[in-house]
Amino acid sequence: MTTWQLGDVAVGRLGFGAMRIKAGPDRPAALAVLRRAVELGVNHIDTAAFCGSANELIREALAPYPADLVIVTKVGPGTDPERGFYNATTAAELREQVETNRRQLGVDRLDVVNLRITGDGSLAERFGWLVALRDEGLIRQLGVSNVRLEHVREALAIAPVVCVQNSYALDRRGDEDEVIRFCAEQGIAYVPFGSIADAASSAAVDAVAAARDATPQQIRLAWTLHRSPNILAIPGTGSVRHLEENVAAGKLELSATDLASLS
Ligand SMILES: NC(=O)c1ccc[n+]([C@@H]2O[C@H](COP(=O)([O-])OP(=O)(O)OC[C@H]3O[C@@H](n4cnc5c(N)ncnc54)[C@H](OP(=O)(O)O)[C@@H]3O)[C@@H](O)[C@H]2O)c1
């Protein structure tokens, strides 16, 4: 698997998104998926405290963590017993979310924390609060999520940004190619989410998949990785078979003809 330098650590370009793994009756399957991911060489796992039981499952499956494993969490959205789901607007709320992620994952310092925002407003104040938590030693590196290009520039003017995590897929590109280019120029990882979820069937994808003896989901993942060397995939699955397919997709070479027909 090829790698990318996520700030000061190298990670494989095919990671794992933990949002959809669940405790309850699915717990054994979730633990098996996480352990198999690490066995297959995945060393970049994306999670968040507000994603249900993901942190707790990661800790149970993988702690003590392998030295090269990078766990990326998100703050901004949170859950509270009284308010339910909310978006942090104060330094105290962001600190509480960072503390919750540390506690659930069982680590003193979070590897990477993304500030996930909603809307077009400035992220400067919230990002500054996270920089203060980084300087306190609670976080090693920072990223941003669900952002526009101007937000990435805004954050970069305050502190280093190691990753940008946005929604991006073969048939849902929006203005993201510009963000990807900018991130590549700056040495920032671009981490698309939702690259295979809910994709409508496509004759072009199906044709490349048939020619490559691959599944349409593998082709979609491979396509994202071929867009730029700074792209890191984090497909989520609760199935070992799908995980294995996704890791294999990380090594799939698409030809210029394949890419042209997909684009
Ligand atoms: N920053 C944000 O705002 C944000 C938002 C959403 C997600 N995320 C992150 O991005 C990660 C991925 O997002 P996502 O789960 O929404 O989208 P995704 O990874 O594009 O798609 C996941 C869906 O695809 C299915 N799938 C996975 N591999 C497959 C395969 N090889 N063949 C067929 N189906 C397959 C999964 O079902 P099975 O379980 O049946 O395989 C699941 O329903 C999340 O885990 C989370 O870490 C971030």
Side-chain angles (χ1 to χ4, degrees), residues 24 26 33 51 53 55 87 93 95 101 109 112 170 176 190 193 204-205 219 241-242 253-254 259:
D26 294 337
V33 167
C51 293
S53 38
N55 282 349
N87 278 301
E93 285 170 341
R95 177 184 287 276
N101 278 287
R109 192 155 60 149
V112 180
L170 175 59
E176 292 300 297
Y190 181 90
F193 63 81
V205 173
I219 298 301
R241 183 168 63 83
H242 285 170
E253 289 287 336
L254 297 178
L259 293 170

mmCIF file of all heavy atoms in Angstrom, residues 24 26 33 51 53 55 87 93 95 101 109 112 170 176 190 193 204-205 219 241-242 253-254 259:
data_model
loop_
_atom_site.group_PDB
_atom_site.id
_atom_site.type_symbol
_atom_site.label_atom_id
_atom_site.label_comp_id
_atom_site.label_asym_id
_atom_site.label_seq_id
_atom_site.Cartn_x
_atom_site.Cartn_y
_atom_site.Cartn_z
ATOM 1 N N GLY A 24 -23.682 -3.829 20.700
ATOM 2 C CA GLY A 24 -24.906 -4.640 20.710
ATOM 3 C C GLY A 24 -24.656 -5.956 20.008
ATOM 4 O O GLY A 24 -23.540 -6.490 20.051
ATOM 5 N N ASP A 26 -24.044 -6.664 17.065
ATOM 6 C CA ASP A 26 -23.011 -6.609 16.019
ATOM 7 C C ASP A 26 -21.603 -6.474 16.596
ATOM 8 O O ASP A 26 -20.624 -6.390 15.839
ATOM 9 C CB ASP A 26 -23.261 -5.420 15.078
ATOM 10 C CG ASP A 26 -24.539 -5.593 14.284
ATOM 11 O OD1 ASP A 26 -24.981 -6.756 14.128
ATOM 12 O OD2 ASP A 26 -25.116 -4.575 13.849
ATOM 13 N N VAL A 33 -13.763 -6.917 12.459
ATOM 14 C CA VAL A 33 -13.408 -6.018 11.345
ATOM 15 C C VAL A 33 -12.214 -5.147 11.738
ATOM 16 O O VAL A 33 -11.248 -4.998 10.975
ATOM 17 C CB VAL A 33 -14.622 -5.139 10.935
ATOM 18 C CG1 VAL A 33 -14.195 -4.000 10.025
ATOM 19 C CG2 VAL A 33 -15.692 -5.988 10.245
ATOM 20 N N CYS A 51 -19.990 9.381 17.114
ATOM 21 C CA CYS A 51 -20.400 8.255 16.258
ATOM 22 C C CYS A 51 -20.701 7.028 17.121
ATOM 23 O O CYS A 51 -20.052 5.982 16.972
ATOM 24 C CB CYS A 51 -19.315 7.917 15.246
ATOM 25 S SG CYS A 51 -19.040 9.187 14.030
ATOM 26 N N SER A 53 -20.806 3.964 19.290
ATOM 27 C CA SER A 53 -19.867 3.153 20.070
ATOM 28 C C SER A 53 -18.514 2.960 19.387
ATOM 29 O O SER A 53 -17.724 2.113 19.799
ATOM 30 C CB SER A 53 -20.512 1.801 20.369
ATOM 31 O OG SER A 53 -21.259 1.362 19.265
ATOM 32 N N ASN A 55 -15.590 4.566 19.256
ATOM 33 C CA ASN A 55 -14.365 4.693 20.078
ATOM 34 C C ASN A 55 -14.201 3.513 21.022
ATOM 35 O O ASN A 55 -13.099 2.965 21.172
ATOM 36 C CB ASN A 55 -14.411 5.975 20.916
ATOM 37 C CG ASN A 55 -14.084 7.218 20.107
ATOM 38 O OD1 ASN A 55 -13.628 7.124 18.968
ATOM 39 N ND2 ASN A 55 -14.335 8.375 20.685
ATOM 40 N N ASN A 87 -23.895 21.226 18.203
ATOM 41 C CA ASN A 87 -22.613 21.656 17.646
ATOM 42 C C ASN A 87 -21.927 22.573 18.648
ATOM 43 O O ASN A 87 -22.535 23.546 19.109
ATOM 44 C CB ASN A 87 -22.819 22.384 16.315
ATOM 45 C CG ASN A 87 -22.973 21.385 15.177
ATOM 46 O OD1 ASN A 87 -22.080 20.577 14.923
ATOM 47 N ND2 ASN A 87 -24.114 21.417 14.515
ATOM 48 N N GLU A 93 -17.086 23.511 25.560
ATOM 49 C CA GLU A 93 -17.717 22.360 24.878
ATOM 50 C C GLU A 93 -16.684 21.585 24.056
ATOM 51 O O GLU A 93 -16.676 20.350 24.053
ATOM 52 C CB GLU A 93 -18.857 22.851 23.979
ATOM 53 C CG GLU A 93 -20.094 23.250 24.761
ATOM 54 C CD GLU A 93 -21.129 23.963 23.892
ATOM 55 O OE1 GLU A 93 -20.772 24.466 22.802
ATOM 56 O OE2 GLU A 93 -22.289 24.038 24.319
ATOM 57 N N ARG A 95 -13.473 21.443 24.620
ATOM 58 C CA ARG A 95 -12.595 20.741 25.569
ATOM 59 C C ARG A 95 -13.277 19.466 26.067
ATOM 60 O O ARG A 95 -12.657 18.404 26.120
ATOM 61 C CB ARG A 95 -12.241 21.640 26.753
ATOM 62 C CG ARG A 95 -11.383 20.924 27.801
ATOM 63 C CD ARG A 95 -11.123 21.796 29.004
ATOM 64 N NE ARG A 95 -10.175 22.857 28.748
ATOM 65 C CZ ARG A 95 -8.845 22.707 28.804
ATOM 66 N NH1 ARG A 95 -8.310 21.544 29.102
ATOM 67 N NH2 ARG A 95 -8.045 23.717 28.559
ATOM 68 N N ASN A 101 -13.291 11.994 23.905
ATOM 69 C CA ASN A 101 -12.561 11.136 22.960
ATOM 70 C C ASN A 101 -11.339 10.499 23.617
ATOM 71 O O ASN A 101 -11.062 9.323 23.418
ATOM 72 C CB ASN A 101 -12.141 11.942 21.722
ATOM 73 C CG ASN A 101 -13.265 12.078 20.710
ATOM 74 O OD1 ASN A 101 -13.612 11.121 20.025
ATOM 75 N ND2 ASN A 101 -13.874 13.255 20.637
ATOM 76 N N ARG A 109 -3.069 11.486 24.716
ATOM 77 C CA ARG A 109 -3.029 12.507 23.661
ATOM 78 C C ARG A 109 -3.666 11.938 22.398
ATOM 79 O O ARG A 109 -3.302 10.831 21.977
ATOM 80 C CB ARG A 109 -1.575 12.897 23.402
ATOM 81 C CG ARG A 109 -1.443 14.118 22.558
ATOM 82 C CD ARG A 109 -0.146 14.831 22.800
ATOM 83 N NE ARG A 109 1.012 14.002 22.511
ATOM 84 C CZ ARG A 109 2.166 14.485 22.062
ATOM 85 N NH1 ARG A 109 2.303 15.773 21.842
ATOM 86 N NH2 ARG A 109 3.184 13.700 21.838
ATOM 87 N N VAL A 112 -4.798 12.840 15.970
ATOM 88 C CA VAL A 112 -5.258 13.931 15.088
ATOM 89 C C VAL A 112 -6.709 14.236 15.458
ATOM 90 O O VAL A 112 -7.510 13.317 15.627
ATOM 91 C CB VAL A 112 -5.205 13.520 13.592
ATOM 92 C CG1 VAL A 112 -5.678 14.674 12.701
ATOM 93 C CG2 VAL A 112 -3.802 13.086 13.174
ATOM 94 N N LEU A 170 -17.010 9.899 -6.845
ATOM 95 C CA LEU A 170 -16.958 9.957 -8.319
ATOM 96 C C LEU A 170 -18.104 10.793 -8.891
ATOM 97 O O LEU A 170 -17.886 11.635 -9.759
ATOM 98 C CB LEU A 170 -17.018 8.517 -8.849
ATOM 99 C CG LEU A 170 -17.109 8.282 -10.343
ATOM 100 C CD1 LEU A 170 -15.929 8.889 -11.085
ATOM 101 C CD2 LEU A 170 -17.188 6.791 -10.635
ATOM 102 N N GLU A 176 -14.831 20.307 -4.985
ATOM 103 C CA GLU A 176 -13.768 19.712 -4.167
ATOM 104 C C GLU A 176 -12.439 19.551 -4.897
ATOM 105 O O GLU A 176 -11.395 19.498 -4.267
ATOM 106 C CB GLU A 176 -14.227 18.351 -3.616
ATOM 107 C CG GLU A 176 -15.337 18.461 -2.591
ATOM 108 C CD GLU A 176 -14.929 19.292 -1.385
ATOM 109 O OE1 GLU A 176 -13.997 18.886 -0.670
ATOM 110 O OE2 GLU A 176 -15.513 20.354 -1.174
ATOM 111 N N TYR A 190 -6.034 14.958 1.895
ATOM 112 C CA TYR A 190 -7.464 15.174 1.639
ATOM 113 C C TYR A 190 -8.138 13.821 1.852
ATOM 114 O O TYR A 190 -7.784 12.832 1.208
ATOM 115 C CB TYR A 190 -7.688 15.681 0.212
ATOM 116 C CG TYR A 190 -9.155 15.930 -0.072
ATOM 117 C CD1 TYR A 190 -9.748 17.166 0.169
ATOM 118 C CD2 TYR A 190 -9.972 14.898 -0.549
ATOM 119 C CE1 TYR A 190 -11.103 17.381 -0.059
ATOM 120 C CE2 TYR A 190 -11.324 15.108 -0.775
ATOM 121 C CZ TYR A 190 -11.880 16.346 -0.528
ATOM 122 O OH TYR A 190 -13.218 16.546 -0.749
ATOM 123 N N PHE A 193 -15.008 11.393 2.571
ATOM 124 C CA PHE A 193 -15.916 10.417 3.171
ATOM 125 C C PHE A 193 -17.124 10.221 2.252
ATOM 126 O O PHE A 193 -17.412 11.062 1.415
ATOM 127 C CB PHE A 193 -16.347 10.807 4.593
ATOM 128 C CG PHE A 193 -17.130 12.091 4.715
ATOM 129 C CD1 PHE A 193 -18.490 12.131 4.459
ATOM 130 C CD2 PHE A 193 -16.502 13.260 5.106
ATOM 131 C CE1 PHE A 193 -19.218 13.311 4.593
ATOM 132 C CE2 PHE A 193 -17.210 14.441 5.246
ATOM 133 C CZ PHE A 193 -18.565 14.475 4.978
ATOM 134 N N ALA A 204 -20.612 3.097 -16.559
ATOM 135 C CA ALA A 204 -19.154 3.265 -16.730
ATOM 136 C C ALA A 204 -18.410 2.539 -15.612
ATOM 137 O O ALA A 204 -17.423 1.823 -15.862
ATOM 138 C CB ALA A 204 -18.810 4.756 -16.721
ATOM 139 N N VAL A 205 -18.901 2.690 -14.375
ATOM 140 C CA VAL A 205 -18.239 2.012 -13.246
ATOM 141 C C VAL A 205 -18.364 0.499 -13.422
ATOM 142 O O VAL A 205 -17.387 -0.248 -13.243
ATOM 143 C CB VAL A 205 -18.859 2.464 -11.899
ATOM 144 C CG1 VAL A 205 -18.302 1.645 -10.744
ATOM 145 C CG2 VAL A 205 -18.611 3.949 -11.676
ATOM 146 N N ILE A 219 -13.900 -0.084 -7.560
ATOM 147 C CA ILE A 219 -13.529 0.872 -8.610
ATOM 148 C C ILE A 219 -13.720 2.301 -8.113
ATOM 149 O O ILE A 219 -12.878 3.178 -8.341
ATOM 150 C CB ILE A 219 -14.368 0.617 -9.898
ATOM 151 C CG1 ILE A 219 -14.084 -0.788 -10.449
ATOM 152 C CG2 ILE A 219 -14.112 1.705 -10.954
ATOM 153 C CD1 ILE A 219 -12.628 -1.058 -10.801
ATOM 154 N N ARG A 241 -15.521 -9.214 4.798
ATOM 155 C CA ARG A 241 -15.361 -9.410 3.352
ATOM 156 C C ARG A 241 -15.232 -8.056 2.635
ATOM 157 O O ARG A 241 -14.343 -7.846 1.803
ATOM 158 C CB ARG A 241 -16.545 -10.204 2.785
ATOM 159 C CG ARG A 241 -16.402 -10.506 1.287
ATOM 160 C CD ARG A 241 -17.429 -11.540 0.836
ATOM 161 N NE ARG A 241 -18.806 -11.073 0.997
ATOM 162 C CZ ARG A 241 -19.454 -10.305 0.127
ATOM 163 N NH1 ARG A 241 -18.867 -9.916 -0.986
ATOM 164 N NH2 ARG A 241 -20.689 -9.935 0.348
ATOM 165 N N HIS A 242 -16.110 -7.120 2.977
ATOM 166 C CA HIS A 242 -16.022 -5.798 2.351
ATOM 167 C C HIS A 242 -14.715 -5.095 2.727
ATOM 168 O O HIS A 242 -14.105 -4.425 1.895
ATOM 169 C CB HIS A 242 -17.225 -4.935 2.763
ATOM 170 C CG HIS A 242 -18.495 -5.339 2.057
ATOM 171 N ND1 HIS A 242 -19.736 -4.854 2.403
ATOM 172 C CD2 HIS A 242 -18.704 -6.187 1.013
ATOM 173 C CE1 HIS A 242 -20.655 -5.386 1.608
ATOM 174 N NE2 HIS A 242 -20.050 -6.195 0.768
ATOM 175 N N GLU A 253 -4.662 -0.838 -9.751
ATOM 176 C CA GLU A 253 -4.133 0.170 -10.692
ATOM 177 C C GLU A 253 -5.170 0.407 -11.781
ATOM 178 O O GLU A 253 -5.545 -0.535 -12.493
ATOM 179 C CB GLU A 253 -2.849 -0.359 -11.356
ATOM 180 C CG GLU A 253 -1.650 -0.441 -10.429
ATOM 181 C CD GLU A 253 -1.069 0.928 -10.105
ATOM 182 O OE1 GLU A 253 -1.266 1.867 -10.902
ATOM 183 O OE2 GLU A 253 -0.436 1.033 -9.035
ATOM 184 N N LEU A 254 -5.625 1.614 -11.947
ATOM 185 C CA LEU A 254 -6.535 1.940 -13.050
ATOM 186 C C LEU A 254 -5.720 2.573 -14.176
ATOM 187 O O LEU A 254 -4.802 3.363 -13.912
ATOM 188 C CB LEU A 254 -7.619 2.909 -12.575
ATOM 189 C CG LEU A 254 -8.552 2.381 -11.476
ATOM 190 C CD1 LEU A 254 -9.559 3.456 -11.063
ATOM 191 C CD2 LEU A 254 -9.289 1.123 -11.925
ATOM 192 N N LEU A 259 -9.621 5.618 -16.302
ATOM 193 C CA LEU A 259 -9.886 6.901 -15.628
ATOM 194 C C LEU A 259 -10.669 7.838 -16.536
ATOM 195 O O LEU A 259 -11.585 8.528 -16.082
ATOM 196 C CB LEU A 259 -8.557 7.550 -15.185
ATOM 197 C CG LEU A 259 -7.832 6.757 -14.085
ATOM 198 C CD1 LEU A 259 -6.426 7.308 -13.858
ATOM 199 C CD2 LEU A 259 -8.632 6.789 -12.774
#
